[in-house]
Amino acid sequence: IFQYLVGIALDFIISFIFGGLIYWSWKKLEKIQSIFITIRKQTESRERPFRILLVSDGESEAANNPEINKLMPDSQMRLTKRGKHMAYITGQEIERYLCNLYPSTEPPPRVVMWVSPFYRARQTALSLLSGMSMTRKWVSQVRESPLLVEQDKGLFESLGEEEMKRIYPNECERLEQMNKHQGNYWVRFPLGESQFDVCQRMQILFGSIVRDRLGDKQSGPAEVIIVVAHPVPIASFVMMWCHRTIEWFRTSLNIPYCSVRLIDSSNELWDAGFIFGGWQKENLFEPEHLCSPTNCSVLNLPNEIDSFGRMRMSSWVTRTQ
């Protein structure tokens, strides 16, 4: 009887060990399989054309009334009526480009929008979505990133050149000396940023954009990224992504209102230039050419926007309004 019980115990132990080995091997195979699937998806997403649309913000209230800078921080500056209409027309141009790019919308491409948290950039993004009447449903997510804000001028923020020299004469003199010695790309504003600092934070954002391109378990890979930001961050983005030179950067800061620059993976140098020229400050249309508020108001978006994606867009729209 003892030998019989020992035999049963040994059989149980051996079965348990072999069963555990089989279960462990199965789990390892599942993990290896998931790794191969992930690698295959990432490879496919890299082979698929990937595009980034860099959109500059519209005309702000400070463009027509510089004195408003003393009353309102740069982060809270709003668009003019003309600025909202600029963004609305730009949204129509983006929609025309996307429709030509993807004539067959089954399944529709996944579009992700990144926005600067400055108020005028939020308003620009909302007006863009108003103009994208048919392709707005392609935008699965709208995200904000503080990395996209305009260059911080520190002590000189909201001050004109004469006021700067009057209030901070020593700092202005030192800044001029440093600009002559090193170049304005490297020199920081007192308690602010240099253009080099802006380029560094653009580099940090690239990791999030690459993850959008590759996709995750919840969302497929994004084929188009729309970035709504300001002139210095946009020039910094192009410089760092496309490996442009500092000399190129210095000549590329005059970015028109609501212009759209294309970064395209199918282009050998990635930088495909402007697909929509926007508006230069000296070539603005007159107010009477604006659309009516019922046609282009950023505060009257359709209710269907609430059903997009993971509801991130709807919560962002509500909070921005």
Side-chain angles (χ1 to χ4, degrees), residues 8-283:
I8 292 175
L10 289 174
D11 289 342
F12 176 77
I13 293 172
I14 292 172
S15 299
F16 180 78
I17 292 173
F18 274 100
L21 288 173
I22 292 172
Y23 179 78
W24 179 82
S25 301
W26 177 257
K27 287 296 182 182
K28 285 294 182 182
L29 287 173
E30 284 186 339
K31 188 174 182 179
I32 293 172
Q33 184 182 18
S34 66
I35 291 174
F36 275 110
I37 291 174
T38 302
I39 293 174
R40 179 173 59 82
K41 288 183 177 179
Q42 291 180 352
T43 302
E44 290 176 354
S45 63
R46 288 192 181 97
E47 293 175 351
R48 187 183 297 113
F50 175 66
R51 297 169 177 90
I52 303 173
L53 303 179
L54 302 173
V55 184
S56 179
D57 54 1
E59 181 189 46
S60 70
E61 295 173 340
N64 298 325
N65 181 18
E67 295 297 319
I68 201 172
N69 285 312
K70 301 177 183 179
L71 306 175
M72 186 180 297
D74 190 36
S75 61
Q76 297 301 312
M77 203 67 62
R78 286 155 168 73
L79 294 182
T80 62
K81 185 178 180 182
R82 180 164 53 191
K84 293 177 184 178
H85 187 57
M86 289 176 181
Y88 181 83
I89 294 175
T90 302
Q92 293 177 326
E93 293 296 328
I94 291 176
E95 178 169 80
R96 187 176 294 109
Y97 170 76
L98 292 177
C99 289
N100 291 334
L101 195 63
Y102 302 101
S104 175
T105 58
E106 293 295 337
R110 179 170 176 251
V111 181
V112 175
M113 180 180 284
W114 284 90
V115 185
S116 162
F118 277 19
Y119 201 89
R120 60 184 181 273
R122 292 175 175 177
Q123 288 184 307
T124 301
L126 288 171
S127 292
L128 286 177
L129 294 173
S130 294
M132 298 168 62
S133 57
M134 293 185 297
T135 56
R136 188 167 57 240
K137 60 179 178 292
W138 297 359
V139 183
S140 62
Q141 290 176 304
V142 178
R143 303 190 185 115
E144 287 185 358
S145 174
L147 298 172
L148 288 170
V149 300
E150 184 59 291
Q151 181 183 6
D152 184 3
K153 296 182 179 179
L155 291 178
F156 299 158
E157 196 72 62
S158 76
L159 296 179
E161 186 175 353
E162 294 182 0
E163 286 183 300
M164 287 165 45
K165 293 180 179 179
R166 178 173 54 85
I167 301 174
Y168 303 108
N170 296 332
E171 288 81 357
C172 286
E173 183 179 357
R174 178 60 178 165
L175 187 66
E176 290 179 3
Q177 292 175 354
M178 295 297 291
N179 283 335
K180 292 178 181 178
H181 180 66
Q182 295 185 6
N184 58 0
Y185 177 80
W186 305 103
V187 180
R188 288 189 179 94
F189 286 99
L191 300 181
E193 291 181 302
S194 66
Q195 295 168 354
F196 170 66
D197 293 328
V198 181
C199 288
Q200 283 187 306
R201 56 178 161 91
M202 286 301 103
Q203 189 87 39
I204 298 173
L205 181 66
F206 291 169
S208 299
I209 291 179
V210 170
R211 286 196 298 273
D212 285 335
R213 180 188 183 186
L214 299 178
D216 52 32
K217 293 181 180 179
Q218 289 76 28
S219 306
E223 298 182 41
V224 179
I225 304 287
I226 301 175
V227 178
V228 182
H230 316 278
V232 175
I234 287 177
S236 302
F237 192 108
V238 177
M239 175 184 173
M240 301 304 291
W241 189 280
C242 303
H243 307 291
R244 295 289 193 177
T245 63
I246 295 174
E247 290 73 22
W248 174 90
F249 180 86
R250 287 170 176 162
T251 61
S252 303
L253 292 174
N254 186 24
I255 298 178
Y257 292 129
C258 289
S259 59
V260 183
R261 194 180 191 107
L262 174 63
I263 306 293
D264 190 345
S265 65
S266 61
N267 189 296
E268 183 178 0
L269 300 177
W270 281 85
D271 185 7
F274 288 97
I275 62 171
F276 181 62
W279 291 267
Q280 292 284 0
K281 294 181 179 180
E282 62 274 8
N283 189 28

